[in-house]
Amino acid sequence: MDLRRPNRPVIGPKVRQVGFVTPDSAAATSSSSIPAVSAAAATSAGSPPSSLSPVMIPPPRHPSTEMSNPHFHPVGSYNPSEQILGSPPALSPSRSSRFDADGSDFGGDDDESVALSGVGGGMTPKSSLLMRQPVTKTAPLVSETRKRDSNVSKGKGEGPSAAPKEKLTKAERRATQEAQRAAKAAAKEAAAAGGAPSVSKQPKPATKPATQQKKDVPSGSGPLQPLAPSGSIEKKQGKKEVAAPHPRMQFDDMTKVGKLKKRAVVNQSEARNRVELFRHLPQYEHGTQLPDLESKFFQLDLIHPSVYQVGLQFLSDKISGGNARCIAMLLAFKEVIQDYTTPPEKTLTRDLGAKVGSCVSFLIECRPLSVSMGNAIRFLKNRISSLPHNLSDKEAKSRLQSDIDRFINEKIIIASKAIVEHGVSKIRDGDVLLTYGSPSVVESIFAYAHGIKKNFRVVVVDSRPKHEGQGLLRRLVERGIHCTYTHLNAVSYVMHEVTRVFLGASSVLSNGTVYSRVGTACVAMVAHAFRVPVLVCCEAYKFHERVQLDSICSNELGDPDAISKVSGWKDLNYLDGWAQNENIQLLNLKYDATPSDYVSVLVTEQGMLPPTSVPVIIREYGIERLWT
Amino acid sequence: MDPPMDFQVVVLAGGTSDKLSPLVSKELPKALLPVANKPLLSYPLELLEASNLKNIIVVVEGDEAATQVESWLSVAYMDRLNVEVVKTPGDVGTVGAIRAVAPFLISTDILIVSGDLVSDTSPGAIAATHRRHGAAVTALFCPAPVSGGADSSTSGGKDKAKKPSRCNIVGLDPTRQFLLHVVSGAKVEKDIHIQKRIVRAVGQMEIRSDFMDAHVYAFKRTVLLDVLEKENLYSIKQDVLPYLVRTQLRSEISAKKENSADESSNGATKELPSEDININSAVPSNQNLRWLSQHREIAPSSYQEIHISDCDMNKSRPAKKTHKCCIYLSGKTQYCARLNSVQAFGDINRDMLGEASRITGYTFSAQNNVVHPTVVQGAKTTAGGQCIIAEGTILGDKCSVKRSVIGRHCRIGSNVKIVNSIVMNHITIEDNCTIQGSVISSNVQIQERASLKDCQVGAGYVITAGSEYKSEPLTKK
């Protein structure tokens, strides 16, 4: 390890590698086998899984090339005895030297950290931080990054000659597919064997207990058909609540996805060509969900009409934006509570909680929840469970409804007003303000500043495919604000004249990372490079105690067709029928994470804060502390 | 019991339609006209039942018809559906029919289905679209039968005035979700008058004449009741829908929107063009919140946004209100037809035997026909493909039945040829008759050697021996 260190700079943890590179293709090109990949191979090849990784590494696309690799080291099953028995492969000096240098324990640890950084799903913040801190341990991470780097550059310059993978023949491809299938089956078996405690020291993310819980329930209540006739409503509801997909569920785990699908209300078929790095995120075939859900309109007795309506609107993207979605959801829940009557022999607190849970799981099926919605739901459930038992139904209902009203009012409406007041104080005459997308709070700030006769210009930066900025532009122009409209590609040109950047956020995490519409990070970084202050406006109810270092492990995938089609250009049809071509994978990410280094100040209703103060706000003014 | 999803269903079964004479009569109202040996009304009812809509209000014109429909319903759907029959006097039109049931309507939205609809388009999809947009009215349109008349060779010169009356002129927005202009058949003139205001708000309008109004509407109840108060409206299709579409940008119907029943609907009718809501209003009402959440609707080219901004722009008229008129286009694979003419009756029957046989619920045999086990067939009698022969019918020797529907308890003699025809119940056909492309109502007696081609024979008629008819409606005087 020491041998390898001098010739590479240590990259700080804030630089993230976001590439379209699959770990296995890295293996295919690089001569030495990468631990992460071999770990994947180890689990998928059906070798007795000593550890069931919580992060299911997707089965390799070309396992045949993998298997034929002479330097194949199953790392999951790596143990000291191997060192005694097998001689280190002669052709990979770097690896053997590493093994010599490290203790066996060390080797194992390194591998895991690499695996985590490679796929990144479900890592718990603490452990990942812990693992990265010692310098010796970051080294393999760096090497991994590097290899990928080289790969990326190759991929970018990809011509017919420089293609990283050689074209496979039909037979080869079939062999590959079969191997994949076998690998999947093996993985399934492994998962079924599953609850077995794993030997490795890998961190256990929260998905683990969720699996066990899920497993327990069906076995306890017997084989319940998902479409059982009415009468088992209570049972269904109980089950539904458990069935709510874990927010950080790994969607590349076939067994879990299968189970989820059985209970799903929305008929979703998984998209085929998914980018490997994001396979742990749900991606469905768009276009079939809406008609299917619509045709089942009257069949879904259990779901309240207003929740259904909101779900449809989420699914069809009629309502988008964190605040709008949260308000729409809360108002729907208010109506659910209004129409709720406690069934006999049940208590309101328990049954209503289950009912809300089932509504939530329906909404998740329509579109993954945003952090703000998750916080609001947590608040509501908290209020439900903390209701005193001696309340009558009517009192309890009215109390909950007024709680929801207060939440909307105080946490969203008044909060945004306070933010507007704070934000306006940072606008001076002659300013050129830049914003990206269509953040609602920022719009209000501009409108208010214009209302109090401040003299400023606005640059609206927009991006494909949603073009949300156009709506903002239209509304600003109608108010008489002088605007410039441009696309994200041109942001570095317009940044010269900009004096302030106002951005919105979907969520702010406790390490100060701003999780927002994809492209925000780019704008923030460009602004940082031009030394333009970046103000992120975000209500405090969108703060979350989670720590996230990259935008890979938790994100949302949009409709790939949205980026493959260019509206208004009928003759641009190069990507028609891409879903049939297995060599194309489209990635339509919806969010990205802006590291706190690029954020000058957070504008919240509690005042203007540095991003490092987020944990304080969460601690002092968090959802849990609301009116307790 | 609460209506599912806050939707109530009204089926307009009609009475004795003039257009369908001589097939319908006082004894046989339109609703009970057999299509593939099932009463016409059973098609919409089964469609609704499949969507889990079990509480249905059926409006029938005329006392006798109502009594008959009611007695049939009570037997056929006794334990399956909860059907309430309401009768209206004849000639009040569809609006009159809705007025008659107005006191029963309590839910947020009302689904109005025509009783002569034969379709497999899910009513749930229409309702869901309606809800999704928060529309005032959503109408189902389907591709008009491409060559409904011209295709069936038999009806060459018959449909003189039918062609123009079929075509509706429909204006759609680019996303095909909103109805911007509608002129229904009878009122089509030489010129099309389109409101500038609407075109300006949308930017682009697609005008089609190949869509047919399937007469399935989802109305917001408050809108519907407001409209009903107006005078001189007669038909939903020809008066109410065009009226709502015409006034969608300057809605007059939403004056009384503030009642509590409207709470769960968040239509555009409630979108207040209030500015600076975040800053000015102290405690926003429920409405404003709705507006706030709707306000962020994306897709900047979409109609609603322009709607809203259109409101914003004209600050001189802040009270201007709008409502949305949506459209649901049924897919190409779905069958959708209305039985509103003799022509359509024949076409639909043929479709039920052929392309749309899935709707009937019959299972076709290997010969692609349905022959009830109690049917007695004589020697050398053949029932070809695409046939339905109901129970108790007796066929003589050497008969041949092709592409036809034969009802219950018919007696058919020897050497009879029935091609492309509909023969209802209790009919006696004597030997050596030839029936082609005809519709024969119940209790008709056809004596030997008669030959019918493209005829419609009214109930109880007697066709004398050896007579020949061609392209004639025949009714008992």
Side-chain angles (χ1 to χ4, degrees):
Chain A
M1 190 155 250
D2 291 341
L3 283 175
R4 300 167 72 197
R5 211 156 3 119
N7 53 5
R8 67 177 50 91
V10 175
I11 301 170
K14 74 183 176 201
V15 177
R16 289 300 133 240
Q17 176 74 36
V18 183
F20 301 88
V21 188
T22 60
D24 44 69
S25 65
T29 46
S30 62
S31 64
S32 69
S33 68
I34 295 172
V37 181
S38 38
T43 41
S44 56
S47 68
S50 63
S51 67
L52 176 63
S53 162
V55 181
M56 284 297 287
I57 292 149
R61 297 190 92 205
H62 307 287
S64 55
T65 56
E66 206 90 310
M67 300 304 175
S68 60
N69 193 345
H71 328 299
F72 172 66
H73 278 266
V75 166
S77 58
Y78 173 76
N79 50 17
S81 68
E82 191 188 324
Q83 233 177 349
I84 302 162
L85 292 174
S87 58
L91 278 173
S92 61
S94 68
R95 186 172 173 86
S96 60
S97 69
R98 214 176 110 204
F99 274 164
D100 292 343
D102 299 346
S104 58
D105 269 350
F106 244 75
D109 245 348
D110 285 349
D111 294 338
E112 279 152 20
S113 73
V114 170
L116 276 171
S117 68
V119 179
M123 70 164 92
T124 54
K126 264 187 205 161
S127 54
S128 65
L129 279 177
L130 278 177
M131 263 194 270
R132 280 161 195 219
Q133 270 159 1
V135 186
T136 48
K137 289 185 186 179
T138 41
L141 173 76
V142 173
S143 75
E144 163 80 1
T145 315
R146 269 219 149 180
K147 270 169 208 154
R148 286 232 213 118
D149 244 337
S150 64
N151 214 19
V152 167
S153 58
K154 260 188 205 168
K156 273 183 185 154
E158 185 174 11
S161 59
K165 290 174 227 164
E166 63 243 287
K167 201 84 175 155
L168 294 170
T169 65
K170 210 170 204 177
E172 272 177 311
R173 230 181 287 141
R174 178 172 299 163
T176 316
Q177 269 181 357
E178 259 160 26
Q180 253 176 325
R181 219 168 287 149
K184 266 183 198 164
K188 207 179 251 179
E189 265 179 28
S198 65
V199 190
S200 85
K201 298 175 284 295
Q202 284 188 347
K204 291 273 174 293
T207 42
K208 196 77 199 179
T211 354
Q212 280 163 353
Q213 202 185 359
K214 274 181 197 167
K215 251 173 212 158
D216 288 345
V217 169
S219 63
S221 59
L224 254 181
Q225 270 107 37
L227 288 173
S230 66
S232 62
I233 290 173
E234 293 82 12
K235 266 190 193 171
K236 255 194 227 170
Q237 277 176 352
K239 209 181 151 203
K240 268 258 172 73
E241 197 195 15
V242 181
H246 191 274
R248 322 283 308 271
M249 186 180 135
Q250 304 296 304
F251 277 81
D252 45 3
D253 185 343
M254 282 305 153
T255 41
K256 279 183 202 165
V257 171
K259 272 183 197 164
L260 190 68
K261 212 173 261 177
K262 271 187 216 155
R263 304 189 198 95
V265 178
V266 186
N267 189 7
Q268 292 162 322
S269 51
E270 295 266 325
R272 277 177 58 238
N273 308 7
R274 289 185 291 169
V275 178
E276 298 274 340
L277 201 53
F278 293 94
R279 287 203 15 197
H280 59 287
L281 299 173
Q283 174 153 40
Y284 303 112
E285 300 273 6
H286 288 252
T288 56
Q289 300 164 287
L290 186 64
D292 193 76
L293 184 60
E294 285 197 336
S295 63
K296 280 195 288 189
F297 186 59
F298 290 112
Q299 267 105 0
L300 307 165
D301 282 338
L302 293 178
I303 295 164
H304 192 272
S306 50
V307 174
Y308 190 91
Q309 180 177 8
V310 169
L312 275 180
Q313 285 169 336
F314 287 173
L315 189 62
S316 59
D317 253 3
K318 257 181 84 79
I319 298 180
S320 72
N323 284 345
R325 278 168 71 196
C326 194
I327 291 175
M329 180 189 73
L330 285 174
L331 291 179
F333 284 163
K334 214 175 126 185
E335 275 159 33
V336 170
I337 292 170
Q338 175 68 43
D339 295 351
Y340 175 82
T341 46
T342 315
E345 298 172 28
K346 291 227 171 191
T347 54
L348 180 129
T349 49
R350 282 163 176 272
D351 192 55
L352 187 60
K355 179 128 190 162
V356 169
S358 74
C359 292
V360 169
S361 67
F362 170 75
L363 290 181
I364 291 177
E365 281 171 33
C366 292
R367 195 182 154 183
L369 298 181
S370 65
V371 173
S372 57
M373 289 161 79
N375 280 343
I377 290 164
R378 219 164 56 176
F379 158 77
L380 180 61
K381 287 200 167 172
N382 215 343
R383 299 305 295 172
I384 291 174
S385 60
S386 65
L387 282 174
H389 287 281
N390 50 7
L391 279 185
S392 73
D393 262 20
K394 204 178 167 192
E395 280 173 311
K397 277 158 69 175
S398 68
R399 197 183 276 200
L400 285 176
Q401 284 177 324
S402 70
D403 278 346
I404 291 178
D405 279 342
R406 274 179 70 188
F407 184 90
I408 294 175
N409 203 14
E410 292 179 15
K411 288 277 156 188
I412 303 177
I413 308 287
I414 295 180
S416 61
K417 267 185 232 166
I419 291 174
V420 166
E421 268 159 34
H422 289 302
V424 161
S425 69
K426 285 288 166 198
I427 299 180
R428 293 170 307 196
D429 278 345
D431 263 352
V432 179
L433 311 173
L434 183 142
T435 189
Y436 174 71
S438 175
S440 57
V441 188
V442 174
E443 186 185 342
S444 314
I445 293 177
F446 291 168
Y448 186 66
H450 183 71
I452 59 172
K453 303 278 188 270
K454 290 218 176 185
N455 181 22
F456 62 95
R457 242 160 27 90
V458 173
V459 179
V460 178
V461 180
D462 204 358
S463 70
R464 281 199 1 99
K466 282 179 129 188
H467 294 297
E468 290 165 304
Q470 291 184 357
L472 173 70
L473 182 74
R474 192 189 173 96
R475 293 188 289 270
L476 291 180
V477 169
E478 275 162 20
R479 289 177 198 277
I481 300 175
H482 184 25
C483 292
T484 306
Y485 177 77
T486 185
H487 268 215
L488 188 57
N489 334 22
V491 70
S492 60
Y493 299 96
V494 293
M495 199 57 86
H496 286 287
E497 50 174 346
V498 172
T499 54
R500 296 259 188 289
V501 173
F502 281 83
L503 296 173
S506 166
S507 168
V508 179
L509 309 176
S510 68
N511 59 343
T513 303
V514 174
Y515 186 70
S516 186
R517 168 78 59 226
V518 67
T520 306
C522 173
V523 173
M525 286 177 193
V526 172
H528 186 256
F530 281 84
R531 308 207 181 283
V532 178
V534 177
L535 292 88
V536 173
C537 306
C538 182
E539 295 88 346
Y541 85 104
K542 292 179 179 171
F543 287 11
H544 198 272
E545 62 264 38
R546 198 160 71 200
V547 170
Q548 205 173 309
L549 298 170
D550 55 34
S551 47
I552 301 170
C553 51
S554 160
N555 210 322
E556 193 183 329
L557 298 180
D559 183 4
D561 277 331
I563 54 170
S564 72
K565 293 214 172 71
V566 183
S567 60
W569 289 85
K570 290 226 169 65
D571 45 340
L572 275 181
N573 52 2
Y574 310 119
L575 289 178
D576 282 0
W578 62 274
Q580 270 69 51
N581 190 337
E582 59 186 32
N583 290 330
I584 305 179
Q585 297 164 342
L586 298 188
L587 179 66
N588 180 8
L589 272 184
K590 288 211 169 162
Y591 295 99
D592 65 12
T594 311
S596 60
D597 309 25
Y598 303 111
V599 178
S600 316
V601 72
L602 281 178
V603 186
T604 74
E605 68 259 36
Q606 259 84 30
M608 295 205 248
L609 314 162
T612 46
S613 302
V614 175
V616 182
I617 297 289
I618 294 172
R619 193 177 66 224
E620 298 297 328
Y621 304 99
I623 295 294
E624 281 79 13
R625 303 198 139 244
L626 207 63
W627 318 310
T628 43
Chain B
M1 184 185 152
D2 284 344
M5 286 302 190
D6 228 0
F7 259 94
Q8 269 182 316
V9 188
V10 179
V11 176
L12 304 178
T16 51
S17 166
D18 293 336
K19 282 190 203 154
L20 282 170
S21 68
L23 302 180
V24 298
S25 58
K26 285 223 167 72
E27 292 81 45
L28 185 71
K30 182 180 169 184
L32 300 183
L33 195 65
V35 174
N37 283 332
K38 286 159 85 176
L40 176 57
L41 190 59
S42 69
Y43 289 92
L45 289 183
E46 267 159 33
L47 183 67
L48 293 168
E49 191 189 10
S51 284
N52 201 19
L53 290 165
K54 302 224 160 100
N55 298 302
I56 297 167
I57 300 172
V58 175
V59 189
V60 188
E61 267 182 13
D63 287 346
E64 287 173 48
T67 327
Q68 284 178 358
V69 170
E70 199 162 7
S71 62
W72 169 72
L73 283 171
S74 63
V75 175
Y77 290 99
M78 190 171 61
D79 47 353
R80 287 157 66 190
L81 295 175
N82 180 13
V83 184
E84 193 165 338
V85 177
V86 176
K87 56 190 167 200
T88 62
D91 277 349
V92 290
T94 43
V95 171
I98 297 296
R99 279 194 185 116
V101 295
F104 299 99
L105 302 180
I106 47 164
S107 62
T108 314
D109 293 285
I110 316 288
L111 193 67
I112 297 175
V113 182
S114 169
D116 58 7
L117 178 78
V118 182
S119 173
D120 57 354
T121 307
S122 160
I126 300 152
T129 308
H130 181 71
R131 272 289 161 76
R132 182 157 59 89
H133 292 294
V137 56
T138 303
L140 168 68
F141 277 74
C142 55
V146 185
S147 45
D151 172 54
S152 47
S153 55
T154 52
S155 55
K158 218 168 45 175
D159 50 348
K160 323 132 203 146
K162 262 170 209 159
K163 253 298 191 254
S165 76
R166 268 177 193 280
C167 91
N168 293 312
I169 293 181
V170 179
L172 304 174
D173 79 312
T175 58
R176 292 197 169 185
Q177 289 177 322
F178 298 98
L179 193 56
L180 308 174
H181 183 78
V182 64
V183 183
S184 62
K187 296 194 175 174
V188 172
E189 294 159 15
K190 249 187 175 175
D191 306 328
I192 307 173
H193 297 279
I194 291 166
Q195 286 174 293
K196 256 193 223 160
R197 184 207 312 268
I198 291 179
V199 180
R200 202 168 52 221
V202 187
Q204 194 180 348
M205 189 196 285
E206 181 185 359
I207 294 194
R208 304 289 297 250
S209 60
D210 56 346
F211 287 128
M212 186 184 83
D213 187 344
H215 215 297
V216 177
Y217 307 104
F219 276 101
K220 193 171 284 179
R221 182 178 59 98
T222 46
V223 171
L224 187 63
L225 295 184
D226 277 356
V227 170
L228 290 186
E229 285 170 14
K230 296 194 182 299
E231 298 294 313
N232 65 40
L233 296 178
Y234 180 76
S235 145
I236 294 179
K237 178 184 168 189
Q238 290 177 5
D239 301 320
V240 175
L241 187 64
Y243 168 77
L244 287 174
V245 170
R246 211 164 51 234
T247 59
Q248 56 184 315
L249 287 185
R250 44 180 170 83
S251 179
E252 298 155 17
I253 50 166
S254 44
K256 294 175 279 187
K257 273 299 110 60
E258 314 304 325
N259 51 10
S260 60
D262 201 32
E263 231 171 41
S264 68
S265 63
N266 57 352
T269 42
K270 293 177 77 175
E271 282 167 6
L272 303 178
S274 61
E275 316 252 319
D276 303 353
I277 168 173
N278 287 343
I279 296 155
N280 296 337
S281 59
V283 178
S285 66
N286 198 3
Q287 267 183 22
N288 289 357
L289 288 178
R290 280 290 182 202
W291 178 80
L292 191 69
S293 76
Q294 291 272 308
H295 175 64
R296 299 276 152 222
E297 287 176 353
I298 50 131
S301 60
S302 91
Y303 181 46
Q304 314 92 297
E305 175 121 5
I306 295 154
H307 242 103
I308 296 165
S309 54
D310 195 53
C311 296
D312 284 348
M313 268 199 211
N314 301 310
K315 282 166 199 151
S316 52
R317 282 176 291 168
K320 196 171 76 168
K321 295 189 175 160
T322 60
H323 57 253
K324 291 182 199 169
C325 299
C326 295
I327 188 167
Y328 182 86
L329 290 173
S330 73
K332 289 245 156 51
T333 55
Q334 286 160 328
Y335 185 80
C336 187
R338 281 190 68 200
L339 203 164
N340 48 11
S341 64
V342 176
Q343 172 77 45
F345 179 71
D347 288 345
I348 290 173
N349 265 301
R350 267 186 289 278
D351 290 340
M352 288 301 117
L353 300 176
E355 52 170 321
S357 55
R358 62 189 181 277
I359 298 176
T360 55
Y362 294 121
T363 46
F364 283 73
S365 69
Q367 288 85 35
N368 197 16
N369 57 16
V370 183
V371 179
H372 198 270
T374 56
V375 171
V376 180
Q377 295 188 17
K380 290 189 181 172
T381 287
T382 55
Q386 303 192 355
C387 279
I388 297 178
I389 304 177
E391 70 250 36
T393 291
I394 299 166
L395 291 155
D397 297 342
K398 289 185 186 170
C399 285
S400 154
V401 182
K402 284 178 193 159
R403 280 178 283 138
S404 298
V405 182
I406 297 179
R408 293 175 189 83
H409 304 292
C410 294
R411 297 173 164 276
I412 295 170
S414 300
N415 206 11
V416 173
K417 287 190 173 47
I418 302 175
V419 180
N420 225 350
S421 300
I422 298 128
V423 178
M424 296 183 193
N425 304 330
H426 304 289
I427 288 167
T428 312
I429 301 174
E430 293 178 4
D431 297 354
N432 297 323
C433 287
T434 311
I435 297 164
Q436 249 188 323
S438 301
V439 181
I440 303 183
S441 303
S442 298
N443 301 321
V444 168
Q445 195 186 0
I446 300 176
Q447 291 170 353
E448 54 189 18
R449 297 189 318 281
S451 160
L452 295 172
K453 198 176 177 208
D454 304 332
C455 294
Q456 294 91 40
V457 185
Y461 197 77
V462 179
I463 291 172
T464 49
S467 56
E468 276 189 34
Y469 292 100
K470 216 171 171 186
S471 308
E472 274 179 69
L474 304 170
T475 33
K476 200 159 68 173
K477 298 284 171 327

